[in-house]
Amino acid sequence: MKYNFGAGPSILPQEVFKQAAEAVLNFNNTGLSILEISHRAPEFEAVVDEILQLVKDLLNIPEGYSILLLQGGASLQFSMVPMNILAEGQTASYLDSGVWSSKAIKEAKLFGNVNIVASSKEANYTYVPRDYEIPADSAYFHVTSNNTIFGTELFDFPKTDVPIVSDMSSDIFSRVLNIADFGLIYAGAQKNMGPAGLTLVIVKDDLIGKSGRKLPSMLDYKIHADNKSLYNTPAVFSIYASLLNLRWLKAKGGVAQIEKENIAKSEALYAEIDRNPLFKGPCNVEDRSRMNVCFVMENPELDKPFLKFAQERGMVGIKGHRSVGGFRASIYNALPITAVHALIDVMQEFADNNA
Amino acid sequence: MKYNFGAGPSILPQEVFKQAAEAVLNFNNTGLSILEISHRAPEFEAVVDEILQLVKDLLNIPEGYSILLLQGGASLQFSMVPMNILAEGQTASYLDSGVWSSKAIKEAKLFGNVNIVASSKEANYTYVPRDYEIPADSAYFHVTSNNTIFGTELFDFPKTDVPIVSDMSSDIFSRVLNIADFGLIYAGAQKNMGPAGLTLVIVKDDLIGKSGRKLPSMLDYKIHADNKSLYNTPAVFSIYASLLNLRWLKAKGGVAQIEKENIAKSEALYAEIDRNPLFKGPCNVEDRSRMNVCFVMENPELDKPFLKFAQERGMVGIKGHRSVGGFRASIYNALPITAVHALIDVMQEFADNNA
Ligand SMILES: Cc1ncc(COP(=O)(O)O)c(C=O)c1O
Ligand SMILES: Cc1ncc(COP(=O)(O)O)c(C=O)c1O
Ligand SMILES: [Mg+2]
Ligand SMILES: [Mg+2]
Ligand SMILES: [Mg+2]
Ligand SMILES: [Mg+2]
């Protein structure tokens, strides 16, 4: 038995694997593989229609937003966002809450002025900065709503008239949000949405084209919005597998239900980290992520022995990112609470052995 | 029984579907799905190493080239090529031999001067222009080596000191080429390489960075080359399924062997088109593509009846592109000659019924 705590690409429900494998052999009883059907086939257009509707329903997206299914990962959005909505000479404001924020900042600088409203870098990103000002003339305000590497999450989005742009790669579909509070949301699919190779962008229509730049077609939100994400050949399989996963989420009760489970899972694991004398959480308690639970050992000499102990018991992907060290258990939507309990058992057993 | 003549995404070998489906359930006996493994896992790094080596071996790529596994499709390369290798103020020369060439031209114009050396547009792209001049000061010369929509193929690449850039989306891995003749080759994977979601770029190292432009990281060949295409999360599944397909090609005898089969398949089908009084080929005979065989009816009123007749007999994806009309049978590497014979039988049966 393996428990996949990997940070991404990451666990998806077993039934999604089963259905995706079936579709690789025979998609929707067409007698063809999902890998060989045309993206212009009516059967695939139906897939696109259904996933767009599911994203809309699951996230409760109001009218006036476009939902785009792109390629290139969240990293390409670091550039596409300013290309599309930051006009020449304008300033964009960014909150620097982790490695991904700082990469987004670096890419944005190519297209305009970047104003960093606050940064927790000096504290190795162990908290999410609060009490910053967002200049009213910012073209947008960019945040990373969940810091995958450092294990912090932004629970209160600022109230501002500046459009908020959020990198939700590692928390999309994990919690209820008021989409109307955002101008643009983007996410690499490979955590809570589906397999790698797909990037979700949700953008307020009145932001599209705001930069006034003449853009390459493939980097222009307008082109993708006007073509229902079928301007060119999309990531057919990743879209289909994501559809299967979102169907699973809907059948489970949707985002409100999964949020409850995510709270229960993360509370159980943080409780053990706090209780167990061998482990501690490096992050500010109020900012603790429900998706990526980072923990370190009080005695770093036990790092390797614990990793080995846990791996031997089926724990996969718990090594912390090199910028934090220690351990990280990513507990995305598809990870069952039984896996969290299994990890807690391993932590307790290890503590008993090393008491 | 279905025969998939779709233009792309298109047929792959049945054993690739079988192995890909297995990996969706259990990748390499890891107990994990290929959809949930980390792109940083040693097992996936081995996949990348193997596919890079296979591409190199199958195409006989000499030293001094980088092989990149990207996202975004061939359409994104229409822009990435000039961004990376066309300096501000320089001129790039293009051959306009079809819709895809003309799209590439349109995107390049955003980044410099475009010199169209010749165009067959006025003849609805029924031939590949010859006898053009490539100005020696061109930063590169761009061709579409196979015109997927119009069914023409470029069999003689010009001799020039200008680096040749070729969009090989629909002929890569179908015929033996001398890679040293090219500065850059790109291809959407979704014909002869694998499923959609992956884009192959083969670029001569001394061209990388030639434009001198400061580029977004994700659009910079150098970043991808330096990071072995793992700068960010790649299209994991599409890469793996492509590996399976290239293993199949190698086991079959490689590109030289498949080229023979492709010649045999295309000759059989063109012979029937020429012989059969109901059908004719719209393209210049010497330029006829071995991958996309276009044919029209002498009497266009028989278009719909023939399409219905053929579909009822399992022929999939043979409707011609709207810019050509009639029919197009894409007969990529994985399409067995038995499928071509089945189509020929249908054409003959239909002719008998309509004699
Ligand atoms: C919050 C966040 N942003 C961006 C990225 C980069 O995503 P991609 O690899 O899809 O470019 C990641 C990857 O883990 C992430 O967690
Ligand atoms: C020759 C050629 N170039 C470019 C493209 C566009 O490819 P993509 O959809 O991957 O952007 C195609 C698609 O069929 C093609 O055949
Ligand atoms: Mg981070
Ligand atoms: Mg503790
Ligand atoms: Mg064409
Ligand atoms: Mg004839």
Side-chain angles (χ1 to χ4, degrees), chain B residues 95-113:
Chain B
L95 180 65
D96 179 25
S97 60
V99 163
W100 298 114
S101 306
S102 69
K103 290 204 182 188
I105 289 166
K106 177 174 165 258
E107 301 296 336
K109 284 183 176 162
L110 231 59
F111 297 98
N113 307 315

Side-chain angles (χ1 to χ4, degrees), chain B residues 273-277 279-280:
Chain B
I273 291 166
D274 291 340
R275 190 207 60 76
N276 192 315
F279 300 96
K280 66 180 176 195

Side-chain angles (χ1 to χ4, degrees), chain A residues 2 30 36 71-72 107 217, chain B residues 2 4 30 71-72 107 217:
Chain A
K2 291 224 179 156
T30 53
E36 66 174 323
Q71 295 186 58
E107 300 296 337
S217 300
Chain B
K2 292 224 178 156
N4 185 0
T30 53
Q71 296 185 58
E107 301 296 336
S217 300

Side-chain angles (χ1 to χ4, degrees), chain A residues 56-314:
Chain A
K56 196 169 174 190
D57 292 349
L58 285 166
L59 296 178
N60 205 3
I61 301 177
E63 290 307 304
Y65 286 79
S66 290
I67 303 168
L68 312 179
L69 306 171
L70 307 181
Q71 295 186 58
S75 299
L76 184 54
Q77 295 311 309
F78 296 164
S79 301
M80 280 180 71
V81 165
M83 286 171 118
N84 280 272
I85 72 174
L86 180 62
E88 209 85 48
Q90 270 192 322
T91 296
S93 289
Y94 277 72
L95 181 65
D96 178 26
S97 59
V99 162
W100 298 113
S101 306
S102 68
K103 290 204 179 187
I105 288 166
K106 176 172 165 259
E107 300 296 337
K109 284 182 176 163
L110 231 58
F111 297 97
N113 308 314
V114 172
N115 166 43
I116 301 173
V117 299
S119 171
S120 49
K121 184 169 185 179
E122 90 294 340
N124 201 31
Y125 295 121
T126 45
Y127 68 98
V128 179
R130 286 179 171 73
D131 302 322
Y132 43 79
E133 297 251 317
I134 304 164
D137 62 351
S138 309
Y140 60 86
F141 173 58
H142 181 284
V143 296
T144 312
S145 49
N146 185 72
N147 298 287
T148 323
I149 292 176
F150 298 94
T152 64
E153 191 163 354
L154 207 157
F155 293 106
D156 294 302
F157 292 88
K159 300 273 161 278
T160 169
D161 289 335
V162 173
I164 299 180
V165 173
S166 184
D167 175 358
M168 294 201 176
S169 293
S170 49
D171 58 333
I172 189 96
F173 296 113
S174 76
R175 52 170 164 158
V176 175
L177 290 166
N178 183 18
I179 301 297
D181 292 343
F182 299 90
L184 193 153
I185 291 167
Y186 63 89
Q190 65 272 8
K191 284 97 155 81
N192 277 329
M193 184 167 178
L198 175 63
T199 312
L200 176 68
V201 174
I202 301 163
V203 53
K204 211 167 172 178
D205 290 331
D206 61 17
L207 285 179
I208 296 179
K210 266 274 167 161
S211 77
R213 297 174 201 261
K214 185 96 197 58
L215 297 176
S217 300
M218 285 295 295
L219 303 174
D220 189 341
Y221 291 142
K222 181 161 171 38
I223 298 265
H224 293 293
D226 287 351
N227 289 279
K228 223 176 65 179
S229 300
L230 291 167
Y231 172 70
N232 79 326
T233 318
V236 173
F237 177 80
S238 297
I239 290 174
Y240 183 67
S242 296
L243 169 62
L244 297 175
N245 185 48
L246 295 183
R247 278 186 192 154
W248 167 87
L249 179 56
K250 185 181 173 184
K252 230 185 151 13
V255 175
Q257 173 59 28
I258 209 82
E259 179 174 31
K260 280 188 208 142
E261 299 182 22
N262 288 331
I263 290 173
K265 287 188 293 184
S266 57
E267 284 183 349
L269 189 49
Y270 284 119
E272 175 61 18
I273 291 165
D274 291 339
R275 189 208 60 76
N276 192 315
L278 263 54
F279 300 96
K280 66 180 175 195
C283 296
N284 194 17
V285 171
E286 306 95 87
D287 299 329
R288 283 174 162 181
S289 168
R290 292 179 192 148
M291 292 287 107
N292 309 98
V293 178
C294 289
F295 51 103
V296 295
M297 308 216 67
E298 297 279 1
N299 173 5
E301 284 183 9
L302 290 178
D303 269 18
K304 275 193 183 158
F306 177 69
L307 184 63
K308 185 162 175 284
F309 187 83
Q311 283 172 340
E312 284 165 3
R313 280 151 188 81

Side-chain angles (χ1 to χ4, degrees), chain A residues 39 218 232-234, chain B residues 7-8 72-76 78 100 144 146-149 167-170 186 188-191 199 332:
Chain A
H39 59 299
M218 285 295 295
N232 79 326
T233 318
Chain B
S75 299
L76 184 55
F78 296 164
W100 298 114
T144 311
N146 185 71
N147 298 287
T148 323
I149 291 176
D167 175 359
M168 295 201 175
S169 293
S170 49
Y186 64 90
Q190 66 271 8
K191 285 96 155 78
T199 312
Y332 295 120

